[in-house]
Amino acid sequence: MQTLENVAQQWQTSVVESIINMVNAEDGDFGAIAKLSQAVNDVSSINKMIEFLCNHPQCKRAFEERPRLGNVDLQLLHQLPENTLGYAYANHMIKNNLTPLQGNFGDSNYQFLAAHLTETHDIWHIVTGCDTNITGEIKLEAFYVAQLYASRFWLALLTKNLLKAVVFDIEVSSKYMDALTEGWLMAKQAKPLFGIQWNTLWETSLEEVRNSLTISN
């Protein structure tokens, strides 16, 4: 029979191995990312994250009402005025040849948390102004870490990128640390992005959305 200590050691080993695999993988390897997510997302830290989020009325309401982004017509959104959130999102997706991510919604709070973050990820890119290049991703990862308590997954992604710099290209370390700092500080002054019903804001100006969330860029 395994002791709790042995189980903990096995989990720690699994996490370390997953991070090492991510360091060796190409950027954007979704298979490696999925394995990392499975390894680091333990029940205890997820429950702490949900408890932390529920301290804010908007986030608590989201767990109760389970808002969905729904089907997104990028071509229709792309016809909105260029200053709107909807246009900016559609333009970002079309320009980068992306399709809206679909979350696997279920009955539990954890399933909603994961699915909601999945399908709104690119909207967070737009609202925060974080690019999809490596420094932009690091900036957004730091933003997630600051806004989601005990966010092991996003912290692990940051760790992976810093380790990549250590191993493969130390010259990028200053850029990476700048991006990390900018994302962290931006998130600390911003209102929570989790739980927002984004599809009601498509026609709202992006500047107005950012101002309402105290996000400056």
Side-chain angles (χ1 to χ4, degrees):
M1 184 174 179
Q2 287 185 317
T3 65
L4 290 177
E5 183 179 356
N6 287 337
V7 170
Q9 288 176 345
Q10 289 177 3
W11 176 79
Q12 291 164 2
T13 299
S14 174
V15 171
V16 171
E17 289 176 349
S18 296
I19 292 174
I20 291 172
N21 288 337
M22 280 292 296
V23 171
N24 291 323
E26 294 289 332
D27 290 329
D29 184 331
F30 290 106
I33 292 172
K35 289 179 181 177
L36 177 66
S37 176
Q38 292 172 358
V40 301
N41 285 326
D42 65 298
V43 174
S44 176
S45 65
I46 290 169
N47 287 338
K48 288 179 181 178
M49 193 188 309
I50 293 170
E51 182 179 350
F52 169 78
L53 287 169
C54 285
N55 287 326
H56 191 281
Q58 170 187 294
C59 303
K60 182 178 181 180
R61 186 167 59 251
F63 281 110
E64 295 168 352
E65 299 178 359
R66 310 284 172 89
R68 298 287 301 272
L69 196 58
N71 293 325
V72 178
D73 188 331
L74 294 177
Q75 297 302 325
L76 187 62
L77 291 180
H78 207 242
Q79 296 174 28
L80 291 172
E82 293 187 8
N83 68 327
T84 61
L85 171 65
Y87 175 88
Y89 171 69
N91 193 56
H92 161 82
M93 300 296 283
I94 293 169
K95 182 177 66 175
N96 291 289
N97 197 29
L98 299 171
T99 55
L101 296 171
Q102 297 294 317
N104 183 22
F105 285 84
D107 296 328
S108 71
N109 282 338
Y110 166 64
Q111 288 172 314
F112 169 72
L113 171 68
H116 180 69
L117 291 176
T118 296
E119 70 171 12
T120 61
H121 176 72
D122 285 295
I123 299 176
W124 285 43
H125 265 290
I126 297 303
V127 173
T128 60
C130 296
D131 204 341
T132 54
N133 58 20
I134 187 62
T135 52
E137 293 291 353
I138 289 172
K139 185 175 179 179
L140 186 57
E141 288 161 10
F143 190 95
Y144 273 110
V145 170
Q147 288 232 330
L148 305 177
Y149 176 80
S151 47
R152 290 184 186 273
F153 172 67
W154 296 103
L155 189 58
L157 287 181
L158 277 176
T159 301
K160 176 268 296 184
N161 285 317
L162 293 177
L163 283 174
K164 273 183 174 283
V166 170
V167 176
F168 300 115
D169 188 4
I170 195 64
E171 298 302 322
V172 301
S173 58
S174 291
K175 289 194 303 183
Y176 284 13
M177 292 304 297
D178 286 344
L180 191 161
T181 304
E182 290 167 9
W184 175 268
L185 292 177
M186 183 196 301
K188 284 297 186 179
Q189 73 173 16
K191 295 178 181 177
L193 270 62
F194 181 86
I196 292 176
Q197 186 75 62
W198 296 106
N199 56 11
T200 66
L201 300 174
W202 292 140
E203 299 182 25
T204 306
S205 78
L206 180 55
E207 181 180 7
E208 183 179 338
V209 171
R210 286 174 172 164
N211 287 341
S212 70
L213 295 169
T214 61
I215 292 176
S216 58
N217 155 344

